[in-house]
Amino acid sequence: MTDKQAKRNIESREDVALLVRSFYKKIRKDSELGPFFNTIILDWEGHFELLTDFWETQLFLKRKYQGNPITKHQEVDKKMNQTITSEHFGLWLNLWFETIDSLFEGERAWIAKNRAQKMSTMLFLEIYRHRNK
C-alpha cells in the first residue's frame, strides 16, 4: 500500500482475511517467530480460515470461532519444548500492529490491536502457568 492509498476501517470478512493473510506472510518470514509457526502449522489455508473466523468473532461479535486458543497455545509450547517467551509474544504483537497500521485505521483497527494486546498477555500467562503442572 502506498502513502497515497487511503486506509479504511475493517468492515468485512474479506478485510479480516486480508489482515490475517498479510500478517502471517510476515510471521512466516520472521527469523524469530517463523520457526514456531512453520514447524507447527502444516495446513496454512486451514489456519487462515480458522484465524479469520477467530478475528471475525472478535471484531464483529459473530460466533464463528469454536476453538480454545489457550489449550492450542499450551500444546504448541509443549511441542516446542517450552521455549515460547514473553518476547515472542511482543514480537508477534509488533508485527500485528505493523500489519494493521499498514492496511487499516478506525475503530475496529483499534479494537483488533487492543484485543491482541490483552490476549497476548493472557495467553503467555496461561502457557507459563501450564508449565508448572
Side-chain angles (χ1 to χ4, degrees), residues 53-65 108 111 115:
D53 286 348
F54 176 82
W55 284 104
E56 191 175 15
T57 297
Q58 293 294 313
L59 298 174
F60 299 106
L61 304 178
K62 294 181 180 182
R63 187 75 175 136
K64 294 224 174 172
Y65 178 77
R108 284 200 186 101
I111 291 169
R115 297 251 168 98

Side-chain angles (χ1 to χ4, degrees), residues 42-89:
L42 304 176
D43 175 13
W44 277 99
E45 285 304 313
H47 193 66
F48 292 148
E49 284 301 310
L50 180 72
L51 290 177
T52 299
D53 286 348
F54 176 82
W55 284 104
E56 191 175 15
T57 297
Q58 293 294 313
L59 298 174
F60 299 106
L61 304 178
K62 294 181 180 182
R63 187 75 175 136
K64 294 224 174 172
Y65 178 77
Q66 301 294 324
N68 184 333
I70 294 172
T71 56
K72 286 294 178 195
H73 284 81
Q74 289 169 337
E75 290 168 9
V76 169
D77 185 57
K78 185 175 180 180
K79 287 178 185 174
M80 299 304 290
N81 298 314
Q82 298 182 329
T83 57
I84 296 175
T85 67
S86 60
E87 287 80 12
H88 291 119
F89 278 95

